[in-house]
Each structure stands twice: as C-alpha cells, then as structure tokens.
Amino acid sequence: MSNKNKGLCSVNLMHCVLVIVFSIEVVNSLTDPEIIPRSQWYAKPPKSIQPMENPVPYVVIHHSYMPPACYNLEDCIGAMQWMQDLHQINNSWVDIGYSFAVGSDGRAYEGRGWSRVGAHAPHFNNKSIGICVIGDWREYLPPEQQLATVHQLIQMGVREGKIAQDYRLVGHKQVRYGTACPGNKLYDEIKTWTNFYNCSPDTVPELRTEAAPKEAAVSEATPSNDTPSDDKPSDDPPSDDKPSDDQPSDDVDAENRLRKRAPSVVY
Ligand SMILES: *[C@@H]1O[C@H](CO)[C@@H](O)[C@H](O)[C@H]1NC(C)=O
Ligand SMILES: *[C@@H]1O[C@H](CO)[C@@H](O)[C@H](O)[C@H]1NC(C)=O
C-alpha cells in the first residue's frame, strides 16, 4: 500500500513537472520578442513616411546576405546602421527598407515597424511586413534563437492586429524575379512554417500585371537612383540581394511624390 502510494506520488510529481515545463514552453512561445527600437540603434530619421494599413496579409522573409550574421547587441546595432546607410545613402531610399530585422543574438530590431510602407519587395511593400534575418543563409541555417524570434515577432504582429490571422508567409524570391533571397537553407526552413504560402513570381498576379509599367516608371522618374550593380563583389550570387534589385518602385514613387508636395522634408 505504501509502495503503491509512493508510486502514485512520483507519477503525480512527474506529471506536475511535465505540466510546468509544458506551460513554460507555451508561455514562451507567446512571449513578445525583445524589440530594439530605432532610438536604441541610433537610427537616422526617415526622409519621409508612408503609413501602411494593418492588418497586412503578407509576411516576406529576407536575409541580409551582407552584412553577415551578428551575435551581440553591439554588432547587430552596427548591422542595422550599415543597412540603413546602404538603403538611405547608396540606394537613395527614404529609410532602411525592412519592417524589422532579427539578429542571431535573438533580438528583433525595429526598421520601419508595423505600420509604415517598407522597401523590400516591390508590389508587396504596402501589404506586408518584411523581416530581414540578418546574415547569409544560403548554406547555413540561422541559430535556433534567431528563428524563434522571427516566429515570436510574427505571432506578436498577429496578436496585435498588425498581421492578418490568415497571413501568407513567403520568401523574398517567391515574389521577386532574379533573387536567391532569403538563401536556400532559410528558404527550406520557412517552407515548413505555419502559413507558408506556396507561390512563385510566375504565379503571383502582382508581378504579372505590374512589373513592366512600374519598372519603366522608375527609370523615367529616377534617372540617378540606380545603384551601380558593378560595385557588387564578384562572389555575389546572380542578383542575390544586390541593392538595385531591391529598388522598390513603390518607395521611389512615394518619395518623388513627397518631394514634389513638400520640397523641404520635415523629419
Ligand atoms: C555605399 O557607398 C559608400 C560610399 O560611396 C561605398 O564606400 C560603399 O562601398 C557602398 N556600399 C555598398 C555595399 O555598395
Ligand atoms: C498598394 O499599392 C498598389 C500600387 O500602387 C495599389 O494598387 C494597392 O491598392 C495598394 N494596396 C494597399 C493595400 O494599399
């Protein structure tokens, strides 16, 4: 009898422990990620802002390719500043292109945030959250905590009504011709995620109907905006993430419109 009780007791104890461990797991997966706001990575102000309606129906996953993965706050702040300079100065965009970036340190970094039109995937910029998984993920998978933060960020967006419940998750190359972004390893990973949306540039209507006229409009409106593609390192994979490929026509058009409306841009 006492033996039997002991047995029951330890089973119960085990059960308790399992329940507690399980609860912690569930709570963790619902935890908001640590988000480093713009002020904490010393972001420059955007040259202009275009508001975006929420919730958005798409989440677009990118890798940075360059800069490489960052594993601590200091390096990730450096990566954010590098990307903002590349996008704002070299590319003449209004701001860093992504909505958010996520470091291998497991932190999320605020880019344009939830409710501003981004510059990361033409034709999808005004209806998606663009998340850059900082690093080159063609051959290696990002560390577990980096992937976990991407999940948490998306879940947070859904919970807060920024991202539609039935959102479509895509990799950049599914909505853009000629890019290998977000890298094969990361792409294979996100294929297994909830809400992954199986599409390709050939099947998304946005590219079929808008590609040609938009590109013409950009080259006409912004003759000096081309980032010299010759500058890219020779080991750059074909069209992989080179800045000019990400030239978001929406962003440039918006910037030109704003310039016309308000010659002196107020930050
Ligand atoms: C951005 O522009 C700076 C200054 O012209 C240049 O040194 C740098 O190489 C450019 N960065 C890239 C990635 O093209
Ligand atoms: C996004 O921009 C396109 C092209 O300007 C426009 O047709 C579309 O209605 C916009 N979508 C949203 C959700 O604002």
Side-chain angles (χ1 to χ4, degrees), residues 23 104 262:
S23 306
S104 297

Side-chain angles (χ1 to χ4, degrees), residues 66 82 85-86 89-90 227 231 243:
M66 282 197 309
W82 192 91
D85 283 350
L86 179 71
I89 300 171
N90 299 50
T227 304
D231 276 354

Side-chain angles (χ1 to χ4, degrees), residues 185-201:
K185 275 282 183 203
L186 179 54
Y187 181 59
D188 286 345
E189 165 71 18
I190 66 169
K191 272 180 176 169
T192 69
W193 291 6
T194 324
N195 293 41
F196 176 79
Y197 180 60
N198 199 357
C199 69
S200 76

Side-chain angles (χ1 to χ4, degrees), residues 61-63 69 71 102-104 133-148 150 182-187 189-190 193:
I61 302 292
H62 301 260
H63 71 164
Y71 294 87
V102 173
S104 297
V133 184
I134 302 172
D136 171 0
W137 308 117
R138 291 172 300 168
E139 295 183 18
Y140 302 97
L141 211 49
E144 201 55 51
Q145 61 174 358
Q146 190 170 11
L147 294 174
V150 177
N184 276 341
K185 275 282 183 203
L186 179 54
Y187 181 59
E189 165 71 18
I190 66 169
W193 291 6

Side-chain angles (χ1 to χ4, degrees), residues 222-242:
T222 60
S224 63
N225 254 344
D226 272 345
T227 304
S229 46
D230 300 339
D231 276 354
K232 72 193 171 78
S234 54
D235 62 347
D236 203 20
S239 304
D240 188 9
D241 304 320
K242 71 185 162 71

Side-chain angles (χ1 to χ4, degrees), residues 59-111:
V59 173
V60 184
I61 302 292
H62 301 260
H63 71 164
S64 63
Y65 177 61
M66 282 197 309
C70 55
Y71 294 87
N72 58 56
L73 185 65
E74 193 188 346
D75 289 350
C76 290
I77 285 177
M80 291 303 286
Q81 294 175 341
W82 192 91
M83 291 192 288
Q84 189 184 36
D85 283 350
L86 179 71
H87 294 173
Q88 257 187 345
I89 300 171
N90 299 50
N91 298 11
S92 302
W93 300 350
V94 298
D95 194 0
I96 188 170
Y98 308 112
S99 313
F100 293 92
V102 173
S104 297
D105 62 343
R107 293 185 181 91
Y109 293 80
E110 184 188 25

